[in-house]
């Protein structure tokens, strides 16, 4: 069975990864014709459009709700934390943010990689790894020494990329979401997950 990179058929588990250092970040160059730009006032709708295209939201209303939870009242910070990739025509096609845990529950001082997304029609063009590399380097410049990222099983391909960047399951999450990591192991066979046995197809699919 072939799975999409954002597949609702996959049983949902919350996953949390961490990278204990922001040294030695793998470097990837943007493809020719693309550039990084920072958030400016008025970019909210572009952010929502990218996330909706990547299936993070089903509607603009969901996007506005998410923005309200994570960024409303913090827009001034975004000018040095939220990054977009633009194509040659100036269209914003991907985004990610070097942020922190807005809930305040995480007291580790780690930077949090937020809302990584590439427009659906631009996926597979080599944008995600340069974007993540850029954001992790930005975290280091902002003074963070380690990073965390929340994700989920139904975005398993993104999870594989984070593992490629040296992220590992946070120990508590590896216990609480062990079956989720078994799903990622089955879909990616990533060497970083050697300690997990692979889930069977009946465990991967929603009932």
């Amino acid at each position: 069975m072939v799975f999409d990179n954002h597949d609702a058929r996959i049983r949902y588990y919350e996953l949390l990864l961490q990278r204990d250092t922001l040294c030695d970040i793998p470097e990837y160059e943007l493809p020719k014709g693309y550039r990084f730009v920072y958030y400016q006032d008025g970019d909210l709708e572009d952010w929502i459009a990218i996330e909706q295209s990547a299936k993070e939201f089903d509607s603009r209303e969901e996007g506005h709700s998410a923005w309200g939870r994570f960024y409303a009242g913090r827009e001034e910070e975004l000018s040095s934390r939220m990054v977009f990739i633009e194509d040659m025509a100036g269209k914003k096609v991907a985004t990610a943010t070097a942020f922190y845990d807005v809930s305040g529950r995480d007291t580790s001082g780690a930077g949090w990689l937020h809302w990584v997304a590439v427009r659906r029609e631009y996926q597979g063009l080599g944008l995600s790894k340069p974007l993540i590399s850029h954001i992790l380097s930005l975290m280091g410049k902002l003074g963070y020494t380690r990073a965390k990222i929340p994700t989920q099983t139904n975005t398993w391909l993104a999870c594989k990329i984070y593992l490629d960047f040296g992220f590992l399951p946070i120990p508590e999450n590896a216990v609480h979401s062990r079956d989720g990591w078994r799903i990622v192991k089955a879909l990616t066979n990533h060497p970083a997950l050697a300690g997990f046995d692979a889930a069977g197809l009946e465990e991967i699919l929603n009932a």
Side-chain angles (χ1 to χ4, degrees), residues 15-19 26 56 95-96 113-117 128-129 131-132 136 148-152 155-169 181 190 192:
L15 305 176
L16 186 57
L17 302 92
Q18 65 184 1
R19 198 179 197 273
E56 293 293 339
T95 185
L113 186 58
H114 270 203
W115 294 104
V116 181
S128 60
K129 285 190 174 181
L131 176 60
I132 294 168
L136 293 178
K148 296 182 179 182
I149 182 163
T151 186
Q152 55 277 326
T155 54
W156 61 277
L157 189 56
C159 191
K160 177 186 180 300
I161 294 173
Y162 304 141
L163 294 169
D164 289 344
F165 269 89
F167 282 83
L168 294 171
W181 286 110
H190 200 285

Side-chain angles (χ1 to χ4, degrees), residues 45 69 84 119 125 155:
E45 293 300 330
R69 294 194 307 274
F84 293 93
R119 281 184 184 269
L125 300 181
T155 54

Side-chain angles (χ1 to χ4, degrees), residues 39 44 47 63-78 82 99-100 102 114-115:
Y39 168 87
L44 165 60
W47 182 83
H64 279 282
S65 177
W67 184 276
R69 294 194 307 274
F70 286 89
Y71 300 132
R74 302 181 175 95
E75 284 86 354
E76 286 188 9
E77 296 181 72
L78 298 182
M82 180 177 283
F99 223 57
Y100 46 83
V102 297
H114 270 203
W115 294 104

